[in-house]
Amino acid sequence: MKRVYSPRSLPGACFVFVMLLLSEIPVAAQVKQIRRVVILNDLGVISSPGFAEVDQAIFSGLQKSPYQIELYHESLEVTLFPDETSQQRFRKDFIQKYSDRKPDVIIAVGSASLKFIAESHERSFRDTPIIFCAILGNVPEELRRDGRFTGVLGKLHPEGTLSAALHMLPNTKRVIVTGGVGTFDEAFEDIARAGFQNFGSRLQFTYLTTLSMSDLLERVKHIPPDTIIYHTAMTKDADGQRFIDSAQSVPLVASAANAPIFVMDDVDLRGGTVGGDLVNWSDDGRVAAEMAVKILNGEKTQDIPIVTSADAYMFDWQALQRWGINESDLPAGSIVLNRSPNFWQLYKRYVLAGASVLAMQTLAILLLLWQRAKRKQSEAKLRESEKRFRLVANATPVMIWMSETDKLYNYFNQPWLDFTGKSFESQSGNGWTDGVHQDDLHRWLETYTRAFNKRESFRMEYRLRRNDGEYRWILDLGVPRFNADGSFAGYIGSCIDVTDRRNAEEVLSSVSRRLIEAQEQERTRIARELHDDINQRLALIAVKLSSVNKEVPDSGGAIRQAVDEVRQDVHELGKDVQAFSHRLHSSKLEYLGLAAAAAGFCKEYSKQHNVEVGFHSDGIPRTFPPEISLCLFRVLQEALQNALKYSGTRQFEVKLESNPNEIHLSVQDWGVGFDIDSTINSHGLGLISMTERLKLVDGQLSIDSRPNCGTTVHARVPLLPNYRGDRKRMINYDKTLLASD
């Protein structure tokens, strides 16, 4: 029951459309009474094949009701829109939408949907029966006692799958657990970890759940012997790329792995996976629909007990053959799918026909006629399938292309041809590259060739000439295609025009740069005023107080002591002003270099705030581009300030390292940590300031943090950057700032 990528506005309409296609709805002889049923699920039916199976089973089961069902479908889309603002907006719209159209039954599909309905039930749907299904984990005790809730508890069985795998492959010593970093992925991983607790003394477990898809595929290609793979869920990888797990992640991992792969549910039994003790989500939907029909027929919710979803041992016959697993070693009652016919089943008609020449001839003629009809039927289905694909591809608002195993393009949809204004013949093969901007062509060919050779997805932007002669920026996403047998079939890609987005980003970058310039200019001005004016005046006051103190007669001891204390306070104030001036603008950057300036700042910061700041540097040249020194120095200041403010600890570690390609700054604490996604979505000014500063020197900012596990801020800047057009201006500007102290 895995997810990923669809627009939020599509699921409801697509659900109704798909249901109408899949089911023939008879016209009743008379008008039936209407009953309203609302299906609320965590993800859309396009986002998740598992949820699609549940919704289809519910839809089919509701047809058994004697009433005319007015069916509504809603989706929280918690993976695409996880932020609280989006979810609150959905909750508000949901409650308002059904306030005047009260449902007779609400079916909550998924844990997030059940939680939302439970929180809204008392104030908005007090008298509405609630049926839940596809729930992982336990239902809160208060809902079990609430007579208005019933349903199906989903239960995964990783321990049963692993026990069966060890019986089938007794030499297994290692288990590789694969998965992703999405919300659903972490939930499935937690279930697997809990199920494997009793196997820790027998097996070595390795969790590959925090990698990018490309890194994961590379790792599973080289798995040592005596190892099996257990796949949980991968709807999002470490690079933030999203996948439909059963339709995309599972086939990718299965095609790359050199070890048998076991899975959690029947939706993932595809692409070469072996199987296991699997839950059937469609059966959950069927049972939930039966409960809904009973309630619509007058039964009380409290009289319908909560049940647990069904599971069964299911395996793929081809995968069993590939990994040399005997069917006799499977658990009793196992279901084997995709079984290939044996010799007798294939050729028994020929063997029987051998009894007589006449029977053989008759059988041969019948077989030829059957094969001919079958071939014509297959050809007709293939033509119909290709026709449907072309209709869909030409109706989509994006440009689509396909290539074969020779890397040459062999298909373009109508939006592509309309955009370029070229014919299909002129675009096929490599002809379409004539429209790519010359400055981008070599980079595109390198990216495409590298991804093609590795059989991995790619994403890049380049300029393509439109039919009016204007070059437009295109975002091109390409993914490898595989045949049913797992063999490579080429690539398919989609392109969208992102020129307006790039222009907006350029404008935003220019504004950010100017803001940073203004900030640095103001820092310099204030630092100069503090250092050259106020600090000098404070020093003069201290000198005058010393002179006054000398003029006080010996009899005025108390006055002399008071004047001396004031002079000392003025002296300390001068030192604080001077230190503040240096924090605003450090002259050490120019004269001593980044390492010395950073070390000095850490020492001053530690003393000022009474904290421990460790500093280590390695291989830092004394001189390199001043704009990089200034950028990293400001990032260090901002990162330490944030760490002191939010970490809850008073011990920090700063590292400054350099190699021939880049310079790396890291600021680490061992405090409370935080959720990275929610922090990034909050758009804090400190994070934005650091990110924008690093962009000006082609650098990157990354953060490693988990709740209660500390935080590390990484800033990386290439030492030979590809400077932008405004880089010369920034260099001159920063030199002016450094020279002004």
Side-chain angles (χ1 to χ4, degrees), residues 196-210:
F196 295 156
Q197 287 181 351
N198 295 331
F199 298 88
S201 59
R202 301 172 53 189
L203 300 169
Q204 176 184 341
F205 288 87
T206 303
Y207 287 80
L208 303 181
T209 56
T210 57

Side-chain angles (χ1 to χ4, degrees), residues 587-603:
S587 59
K588 290 182 180 180
L589 281 173
E590 178 183 7
Y591 299 111
L592 301 180
L594 176 61
F601 173 74
C602 291
K603 182 177 181 180

Side-chain angles (χ1 to χ4, degrees), residues 35 130 154 207 357 459 511 541 545 582 592 710:
R35 292 293 184 269
I130 307 299
Y207 287 80
V357 175
R459 172 193 180 105
V511 171
I541 292 173
L545 287 173
H582 288 167
L592 301 180

Side-chain angles (χ1 to χ4, degrees), residues 291-305:
M291 292 179 175
V293 171
K294 291 180 181 180
I295 292 173
L296 293 176
N297 289 340
E299 289 192 32
K300 300 295 184 182
T301 310
Q302 56 266 33
D303 296 333
I304 303 175

